[in-house]
Amino acid sequence: MYVYTDFDSHFVRQRAAQFRDQLERNLAGRLSDDDFRPLRLQNGWYIQRHAPMARIAVPYGELSSTQLRMLARIAREFDRGYAHFTTRQNCQFNWIPLVKSADTMDLLASVHMHGIQTSGNCIRNITSDCFAGVAADEIVDPRPYCEILRQWSTLHPEFAFLPRKFKIAVSGAEEDRAAIAWHDIGLQLLKNDKGEIGFKVLAGGGMGRTPVIGTVMTEFLPWQQVLVFIEAIVRVYNRYGRRDNMYKARIKILVKAEGQKFIDDVHAEFRNILEHDLDGAAHLITQAEFDRVAAHFQRPAGVVAQPGSRLHVPADAPLNFKRWIERNVHTHQIPGYRAVTLSLKRPGQAPGDATDKQMELAADLADGYSGGELRVSHDQNLVLPWVREADLLALWEAARAASFATPNIGLLTDMIACPGGDFCALANARSIPISAAITERFDDLDELYDIGDIDLHISGCINSCGHHHSGHIGILGVDKDGSEWYQVTLGGLDGSAISGGSQPGKVIGPSFAADEVPDVIEAVIDTYRHQRAADERFIDTVKRVGLDPFKTAANAQRRTTAQAAA
């Protein structure tokens, strides 16, 4: 993973000291709450429904065991003993008192972590494939490019106050595991017929009130030009993006409204930067600069290819171990190694949550089996990227003891969910009780395996932090006269191989009451099981038969809503 420099360390420590001064002036009454607000937001400190929320950046999802132990310490000493991992590969705390925020920043800085630009109308955390650098289907390792983007965008003076928040995702593999088409800018690394590396660039994707799939800006951009091209996109957005209406301020609205004109303006601005800006060409990435950054990504000591190695699972191995190998263990580009997902989806805890003890146990597993390195996935799990095949049985036994070995990756209970109304001030409804009820309903592994691959995503409000638009089944919390109701969508696609492209799901009817949702999901699943062809996955059945059979089955579960309509 990335090896931090003295400059990196000094930078985050300086920022923590700066924030401590700002906090002390605020607490002493010398800096008003209104003036302090943008300063704390630039460092990832929100005021949520019940308490401050701290969002900690995990750039492109890479996390060391040392950093994870520090997150565990912060959870134990300042929070209520747990943290939450998000779809954008960040970590969030929900209960840290604001008076302790500077102490938290100091501890984070000691392990090269921070909350810089995890909030505000700026370029946020750069996200990527959780298997970057190890994926068997990787075309180009995206991590050096992500790091260059991180360094370039952090505290960029021109892009600190954009019309709205701005998110970039990068993928370097054949399969898109970063949902790039759903981001403000999505970057797909490619090689052309000559073997040259470049990017397919999309812009204007996003969820929220108006789900939009990103528009292709260019099919192949030489990698050296990527900073200039992104700057051109963001400049055009900064110039023309709406600032009078926050609901229409995202770049997706501008791209959708302007169409080809937006693309033309970006290419014109791109040429303008290179030809007319003072030192515009200096923003081209040189081979020397790329090599400097790439050299900071080092494999853990002792990771050596084992040619001819072949994973062998004994016939008499425990059934759950076989299932874990099938679901939680992933192919690797280095012979003799596998990547392993530690599931953060199990009964009794919200999706993506981990206690301080669980985080410390995960750090121990990383030290023992993955060279001290972990990843945070888009699906709110943790990944060990450097596991020897010979260690898989021992790792499974250790992971099972630490509650990380649920063999459900890609199945119904491996759901995405935001914290919802239990914490978020923006939420209209709770997500956690809904996810818990569904997990309890589908607690039989045999049944889950019979259902097969399926993406279930839950958001507590229209801001779509749970990515409900891209779920094969999506659940959206809505407010009706102060009560919690839930809208259900089907057929959403996130861009992964199983989904086949990207598209928002379609609503299957009026909202359902909270107590109806588990029955609705069960009815939808039962319909799939009756309608499916041999070996046909859920999303393929939905595409083949259409929404009507599912809509009929779901609407038959109405009790509270039927009474309300009577």
Side-chain angles (χ1 to χ4, degrees), residues 12-13 15-24 27 36 40 43 45 54 74 78 96-110:
V12 294
R13 288 179 184 275
R15 188 58 178 255
Q18 181 188 59
F19 180 78
R20 179 176 290 279
D21 175 68
Q22 294 164 347
L23 175 66
E24 289 175 350
L27 295 175
F36 181 54
R40 63 171 169 77
N43 288 286
W45 289 93
I74 290 169
F78 297 134
I96 299 178
L98 200 58
V99 294
K100 296 291 186 181
S101 57
D103 295 336
T104 301
M105 295 273 285
D106 286 340
L107 289 175
L108 290 169
S110 72

PDB file of all heavy atoms in Angstrom, residues 12-13 15-24 27 36 40 43 45 54 74 78 96-110:
ATOM      1  N   VAL A  12      -0.614  16.472   7.532  1.00  0.00           N
ATOM      2  CA  VAL A  12      -1.802  16.149   8.319  1.00  0.00           C
ATOM      3  C   VAL A  12      -1.657  16.628   9.767  1.00  0.00           C
ATOM      4  O   VAL A  12      -2.641  17.016  10.400  1.00  0.00           O
ATOM      5  CB  VAL A  12      -2.145  14.650   8.270  1.00  0.00           C
ATOM      6  CG1 VAL A  12      -2.548  14.234   6.871  1.00  0.00           C
ATOM      7  CG2 VAL A  12      -1.012  13.783   8.767  1.00  0.00           C
ATOM      8  N   ARG A  13      -0.431  16.643  10.288  1.00  0.00           N
ATOM      9  CA  ARG A  13      -0.230  17.159  11.641  1.00  0.00           C
ATOM     10  C   ARG A  13      -0.480  18.668  11.686  1.00  0.00           C
ATOM     11  O   ARG A  13      -1.069  19.182  12.638  1.00  0.00           O
ATOM     12  CB  ARG A  13       1.184  16.826  12.137  1.00  0.00           C
ATOM     13  CG  ARG A  13       1.391  15.347  12.464  1.00  0.00           C
ATOM     14  CD  ARG A  13       2.815  15.084  12.918  1.00  0.00           C
ATOM     15  NE  ARG A  13       3.065  13.677  13.143  1.00  0.00           N
ATOM     16  CZ  ARG A  13       2.806  13.035  14.270  1.00  0.00           C
ATOM     17  NH1 ARG A  13       2.287  13.694  15.308  1.00  0.00           N
ATOM     18  NH2 ARG A  13       3.071  11.743  14.404  1.00  0.00           N
ATOM     19  N   ARG A  15      -2.503  20.292   9.732  1.00  0.00           N
ATOM     20  CA  ARG A  15      -3.946  20.504   9.602  1.00  0.00           C
ATOM     21  C   ARG A  15      -4.643  20.236  10.930  1.00  0.00           C
ATOM     22  O   ARG A  15      -5.581  20.957  11.308  1.00  0.00           O
ATOM     23  CB  ARG A  15      -4.507  19.594   8.512  1.00  0.00           C
ATOM     24  CG  ARG A  15      -5.963  19.875   8.153  1.00  0.00           C
ATOM     25  CD  ARG A  15      -6.176  21.315   7.698  1.00  0.00           C
ATOM     26  NE  ARG A  15      -7.547  21.562   7.319  1.00  0.00           N
ATOM     27  CZ  ARG A  15      -7.973  21.670   6.067  1.00  0.00           C
ATOM     28  NH1 ARG A  15      -7.115  21.562   5.070  1.00  0.00           N
ATOM     29  NH2 ARG A  15      -9.238  21.891   5.807  1.00  0.00           N
ATOM     30  N   ALA A  16      -4.201  19.213  11.660  1.00  0.00           N
ATOM     31  CA  ALA A  16      -4.788  18.929  12.966  1.00  0.00           C
ATOM     32  C   ALA A  16      -4.540  20.070  13.938  1.00  0.00           C
ATOM     33  O   ALA A  16      -5.430  20.464  14.707  1.00  0.00           O
ATOM     34  CB  ALA A  16      -4.215  17.624  13.515  1.00  0.00           C
ATOM     35  N   ALA A  17      -3.344  20.638  13.909  1.00  0.00           N
ATOM     36  CA  ALA A  17      -3.029  21.772  14.794  1.00  0.00           C
ATOM     37  C   ALA A  17      -3.860  22.990  14.426  1.00  0.00           C
ATOM     38  O   ALA A  17      -4.341  23.726  15.310  1.00  0.00           O
ATOM     39  CB  ALA A  17      -1.536  22.091  14.706  1.00  0.00           C
ATOM     40  N   GLN A  18      -4.034  23.221  13.153  1.00  0.00           N
ATOM     41  CA  GLN A  18      -4.864  24.331  12.689  1.00  0.00           C
ATOM     42  C   GLN A  18      -6.298  24.161  13.178  1.00  0.00           C
ATOM     43  O   GLN A  18      -6.931  25.125  13.651  1.00  0.00           O
ATOM     44  CB  GLN A  18      -4.817  24.398  11.164  1.00  0.00           C
ATOM     45  CG  GLN A  18      -5.631  25.535  10.552  1.00  0.00           C
ATOM     46  CD  GLN A  18      -5.698  25.408   9.042  1.00  0.00           C
ATOM     47  OE1 GLN A  18      -6.180  24.409   8.509  1.00  0.00           O
ATOM     48  NE2 GLN A  18      -5.189  26.415   8.343  1.00  0.00           N
ATOM     49  N   PHE A  19      -6.829  22.938  13.071  1.00  0.00           N
ATOM     50  CA  PHE A  19      -8.197  22.690  13.513  1.00  0.00           C
ATOM     51  C   PHE A  19      -8.329  22.873  15.021  1.00  0.00           C
ATOM     52  O   PHE A  19      -9.341  23.406  15.501  1.00  0.00           O
ATOM     53  CB  PHE A  19      -8.631  21.279  13.124  1.00  0.00           C
ATOM     54  CG  PHE A  19     -10.040  20.953  13.553  1.00  0.00           C
ATOM     55  CD1 PHE A  19     -11.122  21.424  12.838  1.00  0.00           C
ATOM     56  CD2 PHE A  19     -10.283  20.199  14.694  1.00  0.00           C
ATOM     57  CE1 PHE A  19     -12.420  21.139  13.228  1.00  0.00           C
ATOM     58  CE2 PHE A  19     -11.572  19.909  15.099  1.00  0.00           C
ATOM     59  CZ  PHE A  19     -12.651  20.384  14.359  1.00  0.00           C
ATOM     60  N   ARG A  20      -7.328  22.458  15.794  1.00  0.00           N
ATOM     61  CA  ARG A  20      -7.388  22.638  17.249  1.00  0.00           C
ATOM     62  C   ARG A  20      -7.506  24.125  17.591  1.00  0.00           C
ATOM     63  O   ARG A  20      -8.298  24.512  18.460  1.00  0.00           O
ATOM     64  CB  ARG A  20      -6.155  22.035  17.916  1.00  0.00           C
ATOM     65  CG  ARG A  20      -6.156  22.219  19.443  1.00  0.00           C
ATOM     66  CD  ARG A  20      -4.982  21.544  20.095  1.00  0.00           C
ATOM     67  NE  ARG A  20      -5.092  20.093  20.033  1.00  0.00           N
ATOM     68  CZ  ARG A  20      -5.836  19.372  20.871  1.00  0.00           C
ATOM     69  NH1 ARG A  20      -6.552  19.967  21.820  1.00  0.00           N
ATOM     70  NH2 ARG A  20      -5.880  18.064  20.753  1.00  0.00           N
ATOM     71  N   ASP A  21      -6.742  24.963  16.897  1.00  0.00           N
ATOM     72  CA  ASP A  21      -6.824  26.404  17.135  1.00  0.00           C
ATOM     73  C   ASP A  21      -8.213  26.932  16.807  1.00  0.00           C
ATOM     74  O   ASP A  21      -8.785  27.734  17.554  1.00  0.00           O
ATOM     75  CB  ASP A  21      -5.766  27.124  16.300  1.00  0.00           C
ATOM     76  CG  ASP A  21      -5.872  28.638  16.394  1.00  0.00           C
ATOM     77  OD1 ASP A  21      -5.598  29.184  17.495  1.00  0.00           O
ATOM     78  OD2 ASP A  21      -6.250  29.276  15.390  1.00  0.00           O
ATOM     79  N   GLN A  22      -8.787  26.470  15.696  1.00  0.00           N
ATOM     80  CA  GLN A  22     -10.129  26.910  15.306  1.00  0.00           C
ATOM     81  C   GLN A  22     -11.170  26.465  16.334  1.00  0.00           C
ATOM     82  O   GLN A  22     -12.067  27.232  16.707  1.00  0.00           O
ATOM     83  CB  GLN A  22     -10.464  26.353  13.918  1.00  0.00           C
ATOM     84  CG  GLN A  22      -9.585  26.914  12.815  1.00  0.00           C
ATOM     85  CD  GLN A  22      -9.642  26.091  11.542  1.00  0.00           C
ATOM     86  OE1 GLN A  22     -10.149  24.970  11.543  1.00  0.00           O
ATOM     87  NE2 GLN A  22      -9.091  26.630  10.459  1.00  0.00           N
ATOM     88  N   LEU A  23     -11.053  25.233  16.798  1.00  0.00           N
ATOM     89  CA  LEU A  23     -11.992  24.720  17.788  1.00  0.00           C
ATOM     90  C   LEU A  23     -11.898  25.495  19.092  1.00  0.00           C
ATOM     91  O   LEU A  23     -12.928  25.874  19.682  1.00  0.00           O
ATOM     92  CB  LEU A  23     -11.727  23.237  18.048  1.00  0.00           C
ATOM     93  CG  LEU A  23     -12.558  22.595  19.163  1.00  0.00           C
ATOM     94  CD1 LEU A  23     -14.032  22.550  18.779  1.00  0.00           C
ATOM     95  CD2 LEU A  23     -12.049  21.201  19.494  1.00  0.00           C
ATOM     96  N   GLU A  24     -10.682  25.744  19.551  1.00  0.00           N
ATOM     97  CA  GLU A  24     -10.512  26.467  20.814  1.00  0.00           C
ATOM     98  C   GLU A  24     -11.081  27.871  20.722  1.00  0.00           C
ATOM     99  O   GLU A  24     -11.695  28.371  21.676  1.00  0.00           O
ATOM    100  CB  GLU A  24      -9.029  26.490  21.189  1.00  0.00           C
ATOM    101  CG  GLU A  24      -8.505  25.127  21.630  1.00  0.00           C
ATOM    102  CD  GLU A  24      -7.006  25.126  21.898  1.00  0.00           C
ATOM    103  OE1 GLU A  24      -6.339  26.141  21.549  1.00  0.00           O
ATOM    104  OE2 GLU A  24      -6.509  24.115  22.433  1.00  0.00           O
ATOM    105  N   LEU A  27     -14.909  27.468  20.924  1.00  0.00           N
ATOM    106  CA  LEU A  27     -15.372  27.163  22.275  1.00  0.00           C
ATOM    107  C   LEU A  27     -15.238  28.371  23.205  1.00  0.00           C
ATOM    108  O   LEU A  27     -16.021  28.519  24.150  1.00  0.00           O
ATOM    109  CB  LEU A  27     -14.593  25.965  22.837  1.00  0.00           C
ATOM    110  CG  LEU A  27     -14.810  24.625  22.103  1.00  0.00           C
ATOM    111  CD1 LEU A  27     -13.897  23.558  22.682  1.00  0.00           C
ATOM    112  CD2 LEU A  27     -16.270  24.187  22.197  1.00  0.00           C
ATOM    113  N   PHE A  36     -17.376  28.951  12.177  1.00  0.00           N
ATOM    114  CA  PHE A  36     -16.672  27.693  12.427  1.00  0.00           C
ATOM    115  C   PHE A  36     -17.216  26.565  11.559  1.00  0.00           C
ATOM    116  O   PHE A  36     -16.474  25.635  11.209  1.00  0.00           O
ATOM    117  CB  PHE A  36     -16.806  27.325  13.914  1.00  0.00           C
ATOM    118  CG  PHE A  36     -16.102  26.066  14.311  1.00  0.00           C
ATOM    119  CD1 PHE A  36     -14.756  25.879  14.034  1.00  0.00           C
ATOM    120  CD2 PHE A  36     -16.782  25.063  14.973  1.00  0.00           C
ATOM    121  CE1 PHE A  36     -14.100  24.709  14.407  1.00  0.00           C
ATOM    122  CE2 PHE A  36     -16.146  23.884  15.349  1.00  0.00           C
ATOM    123  CZ  PHE A  36     -14.799  23.722  15.063  1.00  0.00           C
ATOM    124  N   ARG A  40     -15.068  23.296  10.203  1.00  0.00           N
ATOM    125  CA  ARG A  40     -15.193  21.916  10.687  1.00  0.00           C
ATOM    126  C   ARG A  40     -15.635  20.975   9.570  1.00  0.00           C
ATOM    127  O   ARG A  40     -15.183  19.834   9.493  1.00  0.00           O
ATOM    128  CB  ARG A  40     -16.130  21.842  11.890  1.00  0.00           C
ATOM    129  CG  ARG A  40     -17.570  22.234  11.651  1.00  0.00           C
ATOM    130  CD  ARG A  40     -18.446  21.914  12.871  1.00  0.00           C
ATOM    131  NE  ARG A  40     -19.766  22.494  12.795  1.00  0.00           N
ATOM    132  CZ  ARG A  40     -20.764  22.020  12.052  1.00  0.00           C
ATOM    133  NH1 ARG A  40     -20.563  20.944  11.303  1.00  0.00           N
ATOM    134  NH2 ARG A  40     -21.937  22.614  12.038  1.00  0.00           N
ATOM    135  N   ASN A  43     -13.028  19.541   7.483  1.00  0.00           N
ATOM    136  CA  ASN A  43     -12.276  18.491   8.169  1.00  0.00           C
ATOM    137  C   ASN A  43     -13.144  17.289   8.528  1.00  0.00           C
ATOM    138  O   ASN A  43     -12.735  16.435   9.311  1.00  0.00           O
ATOM    139  CB  ASN A  43     -11.619  19.055   9.428  1.00  0.00           C
ATOM    140  CG  ASN A  43     -10.450  19.964   9.094  1.00  0.00           C
ATOM    141  OD1 ASN A  43      -9.382  19.510   8.709  1.00  0.00           O
ATOM    142  ND2 ASN A  43     -10.665  21.270   9.219  1.00  0.00           N
ATOM    143  N   TRP A  45     -16.301  17.152  10.002  1.00  0.00           N
ATOM    144  CA  TRP A  45     -17.104  17.170  11.232  1.00  0.00           C
ATOM    145  C   TRP A  45     -18.475  17.759  10.954  1.00  0.00           C
ATOM    146  O   TRP A  45     -18.629  18.930  10.673  1.00  0.00           O
ATOM    147  CB  TRP A  45     -16.393  17.972  12.329  1.00  0.00           C
ATOM    148  CG  TRP A  45     -15.187  17.262  12.848  1.00  0.00           C
ATOM    149  CD1 TRP A  45     -13.905  17.400  12.411  1.00  0.00           C
ATOM    150  CD2 TRP A  45     -15.158  16.266  13.873  1.00  0.00           C
ATOM    151  NE1 TRP A  45     -13.071  16.557  13.100  1.00  0.00           N
ATOM    152  CE2 TRP A  45     -13.811  15.846  14.001  1.00  0.00           C
ATOM    153  CE3 TRP A  45     -16.131  15.685  14.682  1.00  0.00           C
ATOM    154  CZ2 TRP A  45     -13.425  14.868  14.920  1.00  0.00           C
ATOM    155  CZ3 TRP A  45     -15.747  14.715  15.593  1.00  0.00           C
ATOM    156  CH2 TRP A  45     -14.408  14.324  15.713  1.00  0.00           C
ATOM    157  N   ALA A  54     -18.187  12.309  12.633  1.00  0.00           N
ATOM    158  CA  ALA A  54     -16.873  12.511  12.020  1.00  0.00           C
ATOM    159  C   ALA A  54     -16.701  11.533  10.877  1.00  0.00           C
ATOM    160  O   ALA A  54     -16.881  10.329  11.053  1.00  0.00           O
ATOM    161  CB  ALA A  54     -15.772  12.306  13.052  1.00  0.00           C
ATOM    162  N   ILE A  74     -10.103   5.155  18.910  1.00  0.00           N
ATOM    163  CA  ILE A  74     -10.983   6.333  18.902  1.00  0.00           C
ATOM    164  C   ILE A  74     -12.415   5.918  19.221  1.00  0.00           C
ATOM    165  O   ILE A  74     -13.113   6.591  19.986  1.00  0.00           O
ATOM    166  CB  ILE A  74     -10.893   7.043  17.540  1.00  0.00           C
ATOM    167  CG1 ILE A  74      -9.513   7.704  17.392  1.00  0.00           C
ATOM    168  CG2 ILE A  74     -11.998   8.096  17.395  1.00  0.00           C
ATOM    169  CD1 ILE A  74      -9.225   8.205  15.987  1.00  0.00           C
ATOM    170  N   PHE A  78     -13.529   7.720  22.579  1.00  0.00           N
ATOM    171  CA  PHE A  78     -14.278   8.946  22.297  1.00  0.00           C
ATOM    172  C   PHE A  78     -15.703   8.702  21.812  1.00  0.00           C
ATOM    173  O   PHE A  78     -16.548   9.588  21.922  1.00  0.00           O
ATOM    174  CB  PHE A  78     -13.537   9.795  21.253  1.00  0.00           C
ATOM    175  CG  PHE A  78     -12.193  10.275  21.701  1.00  0.00           C
ATOM    176  CD1 PHE A  78     -11.097  10.176  20.874  1.00  0.00           C
ATOM    177  CD2 PHE A  78     -12.013  10.836  22.960  1.00  0.00           C
ATOM    178  CE1 PHE A  78      -9.851  10.623  21.270  1.00  0.00           C
ATOM    179  CE2 PHE A  78     -10.780  11.289  23.373  1.00  0.00           C
ATOM    180  CZ  PHE A  78      -9.689  11.180  22.537  1.00  0.00           C
ATOM    181  N   ILE A  96     -18.885  11.226  18.770  1.00  0.00           N
ATOM    182  CA  ILE A  96     -17.734  11.918  19.371  1.00  0.00           C
ATOM    183  C   ILE A  96     -18.131  13.353  19.718  1.00  0.00           C
ATOM    184  O   ILE A  96     -18.540  14.113  18.838  1.00  0.00           O
ATOM    185  CB  ILE A  96     -16.526  11.922  18.410  1.00  0.00           C
ATOM    186  CG1 ILE A  96     -16.093  10.487  18.091  1.00  0.00           C
ATOM    187  CG2 ILE A  96     -15.370  12.711  19.014  1.00  0.00           C
ATOM    188  CD1 ILE A  96     -14.947  10.395  17.109  1.00  0.00           C
ATOM    189  N   PRO A  97     -18.013  13.760  20.985  1.00  0.00           N
ATOM    190  CA  PRO A  97     -18.335  15.149  21.350  1.00  0.00           C
ATOM    191  C   PRO A  97     -17.419  16.114  20.603  1.00  0.00           C
ATOM    192  O   PRO A  97     -16.226  15.833  20.401  1.00  0.00           O
ATOM    193  CB  PRO A  97     -18.076  15.196  22.862  1.00  0.00           C
ATOM    194  CG  PRO A  97     -18.103  13.774  23.309  1.00  0.00           C
ATOM    195  CD  PRO A  97     -17.594  12.967  22.148  1.00  0.00           C
ATOM    196  N   LEU A  98     -17.965  17.241  20.192  1.00  0.00           N
ATOM    197  CA  LEU A  98     -17.174  18.201  19.430  1.00  0.00           C
ATOM    198  C   LEU A  98     -15.952  18.673  20.216  1.00  0.00           C
ATOM    199  O   LEU A  98     -14.897  18.951  19.629  1.00  0.00           O
ATOM    200  CB  LEU A  98     -18.043  19.389  19.020  1.00  0.00           C
ATOM    201  CG  LEU A  98     -17.523  20.233  17.851  1.00  0.00           C
ATOM    202  CD1 LEU A  98     -17.342  19.393  16.597  1.00  0.00           C
ATOM    203  CD2 LEU A  98     -18.466  21.403  17.573  1.00  0.00           C
ATOM    204  N   VAL A  99     -16.062  18.757  21.535  1.00  0.00           N
ATOM    205  CA  VAL A  99     -14.924  19.202  22.346  1.00  0.00           C
ATOM    206  C   VAL A  99     -13.760  18.212  22.268  1.00  0.00           C
ATOM    207  O   VAL A  99     -12.625  18.551  22.605  1.00  0.00           O
ATOM    208  CB  VAL A  99     -15.324  19.420  23.827  1.00  0.00           C
ATOM    209  CG1 VAL A  99     -16.315  20.575  23.944  1.00  0.00           C
ATOM    210  CG2 VAL A  99     -15.905  18.145  24.439  1.00  0.00           C
ATOM    211  N   LYS A 100     -14.043  16.992  21.825  1.00  0.00           N
ATOM    212  CA  LYS A 100     -12.997  15.971  21.685  1.00  0.00           C
ATOM    213  C   LYS A 100     -12.516  15.851  20.228  1.00  0.00           C
ATOM    214  O   LYS A 100     -11.692  14.994  19.921  1.00  0.00           O
ATOM    215  CB  LYS A 100     -13.512  14.607  22.147  1.00  0.00           C
ATOM    216  CG  LYS A 100     -13.869  14.543  23.629  1.00  0.00           C
ATOM    217  CD  LYS A 100     -12.625  14.642  24.508  1.00  0.00           C
ATOM    218  CE  LYS A 100     -12.960  14.445  25.974  1.00  0.00           C
ATOM    219  NZ  LYS A 100     -11.754  14.567  26.835  1.00  0.00           N
ATOM    220  N   SER A 101     -13.033  16.699  19.354  1.00  0.00           N
ATOM    221  CA  SER A 101     -12.730  16.539  17.928  1.00  0.00           C
ATOM    222  C   SER A 101     -11.257  16.815  17.619  1.00  0.00           C
ATOM    223  O   SER A 101     -10.650  16.121  16.796  1.00  0.00           O
ATOM    224  CB  SER A 101     -13.628  17.456  17.091  1.00  0.00           C
ATOM    225  OG  SER A 101     -13.490  18.808  17.479  1.00  0.00           O
ATOM    226  N   ALA A 102     -10.656  17.798  18.269  1.00  0.00           N
ATOM    227  CA  ALA A 102      -9.241  18.086  18.015  1.00  0.00           C
ATOM    228  C   ALA A 102      -8.356  16.953  18.522  1.00  0.00           C
ATOM    229  O   ALA A 102      -7.352  16.606  17.883  1.00  0.00           O
ATOM    230  CB  ALA A 102      -8.846  19.407  18.654  1.00  0.00           C
ATOM    231  N   ASP A 103      -8.712  16.378  19.671  1.00  0.00           N
ATOM    232  CA  ASP A 103      -7.960  15.219  20.167  1.00  0.00           C
ATOM    233  C   ASP A 103      -8.043  14.064  19.170  1.00  0.00           C
ATOM    234  O   ASP A 103      -7.054  13.356  18.930  1.00  0.00           O
ATOM    235  CB  ASP A 103      -8.510  14.767  21.523  1.00  0.00           C
ATOM    236  CG  ASP A 103      -8.315  15.813  22.614  1.00  0.00           C
ATOM    237  OD1 ASP A 103      -7.395  16.644  22.470  1.00  0.00           O
ATOM    238  OD2 ASP A 103      -9.079  15.793  23.593  1.00  0.00           O
ATOM    239  N   THR A 104      -9.225  13.885  18.605  1.00  0.00           N
ATOM    240  CA  THR A 104      -9.402  12.845  17.592  1.00  0.00           C
ATOM    241  C   THR A 104      -8.517  13.117  16.379  1.00  0.00           C
ATOM    242  O   THR A 104      -7.864  12.204  15.844  1.00  0.00           O
ATOM    243  CB  THR A 104     -10.882  12.778  17.156  1.00  0.00           C
ATOM    244  OG1 THR A 104     -11.703  12.508  18.294  1.00  0.00           O
ATOM    245  CG2 THR A 104     -11.098  11.715  16.108  1.00  0.00           C
ATOM    246  N   MET A 105      -8.485  14.379  15.933  1.00  0.00           N
ATOM    247  CA  MET A 105      -7.660  14.744  14.779  1.00  0.00           C
ATOM    248  C   MET A 105      -6.185  14.470  15.030  1.00  0.00           C
ATOM    249  O   MET A 105      -5.459  13.999  14.148  1.00  0.00           O
ATOM    250  CB  MET A 105      -7.877  16.213  14.442  1.00  0.00           C
ATOM    251  CG  MET A 105      -9.275  16.562  13.982  1.00  0.00           C
ATOM    252  SD  MET A 105      -9.524  16.361  12.220  1.00  0.00           S
ATOM    253  CE  MET A 105      -8.658  17.788  11.589  1.00  0.00           C
ATOM    254  N   ASP A 106      -5.727  14.745  16.252  1.00  0.00           N
ATOM    255  CA  ASP A 106      -4.320  14.494  16.592  1.00  0.00           C
ATOM    256  C   ASP A 106      -3.996  13.003  16.513  1.00  0.00           C
ATOM    257  O   ASP A 106      -2.943  12.610  15.992  1.00  0.00           O
ATOM    258  CB  ASP A 106      -4.003  15.021  17.992  1.00  0.00           C
ATOM    259  CG  ASP A 106      -3.895  16.539  18.043  1.00  0.00           C
ATOM    260  OD1 ASP A 106      -3.691  17.145  16.973  1.00  0.00           O
ATOM    261  OD2 ASP A 106      -4.029  17.104  19.139  1.00  0.00           O
ATOM    262  N   LEU A 107      -4.896  12.180  17.042  1.00  0.00           N
ATOM    263  CA  LEU A 107      -4.666  10.738  17.000  1.00  0.00           C
ATOM    264  C   LEU A 107      -4.663  10.230  15.564  1.00  0.00           C
ATOM    265  O   LEU A 107      -3.827   9.400  15.178  1.00  0.00           O
ATOM    266  CB  LEU A 107      -5.735  10.010  17.817  1.00  0.00           C
ATOM    267  CG  LEU A 107      -5.650  10.175  19.343  1.00  0.00           C
ATOM    268  CD1 LEU A 107      -6.838   9.505  20.017  1.00  0.00           C
ATOM    269  CD2 LEU A 107      -4.343   9.596  19.878  1.00  0.00           C
ATOM    270  N   LEU A 108      -5.584  10.727  14.762  1.00  0.00           N
ATOM    271  CA  LEU A 108      -5.621  10.331  13.355  1.00  0.00           C
ATOM    272  C   LEU A 108      -4.341  10.737  12.635  1.00  0.00           C
ATOM    273  O   LEU A 108      -3.758   9.959  11.877  1.00  0.00           O
ATOM    274  CB  LEU A 108      -6.834  10.961  12.665  1.00  0.00           C
ATOM    275  CG  LEU A 108      -8.209  10.434  13.066  1.00  0.00           C
ATOM    276  CD1 LEU A 108      -9.306  11.333  12.518  1.00  0.00           C
ATOM    277  CD2 LEU A 108      -8.404   9.002  12.557  1.00  0.00           C
ATOM    278  N   ALA A 109      -3.892  11.961  12.884  1.00  0.00           N
ATOM    279  CA  ALA A 109      -2.680  12.453  12.220  1.00  0.00           C
ATOM    280  C   ALA A 109      -1.466  11.600  12.572  1.00  0.00           C
ATOM    281  O   ALA A 109      -0.547  11.454  11.753  1.00  0.00           O
ATOM    282  CB  ALA A 109      -2.434  13.910  12.595  1.00  0.00           C
ATOM    283  N   SER A 110      -1.461  11.022  13.767  1.00  0.00           N
ATOM    284  CA  SER A 110      -0.323  10.205  14.183  1.00  0.00           C
ATOM    285  C   SER A 110      -0.181   8.936  13.348  1.00  0.00           C
ATOM    286  O   SER A 110       0.888   8.310  13.334  1.00  0.00           O
ATOM    287  CB  SER A 110      -0.450   9.847  15.668  1.00  0.00           C
ATOM    288  OG  SER A 110      -1.470   8.894  15.886  1.00  0.00           O
TER     289      SER A 110
END
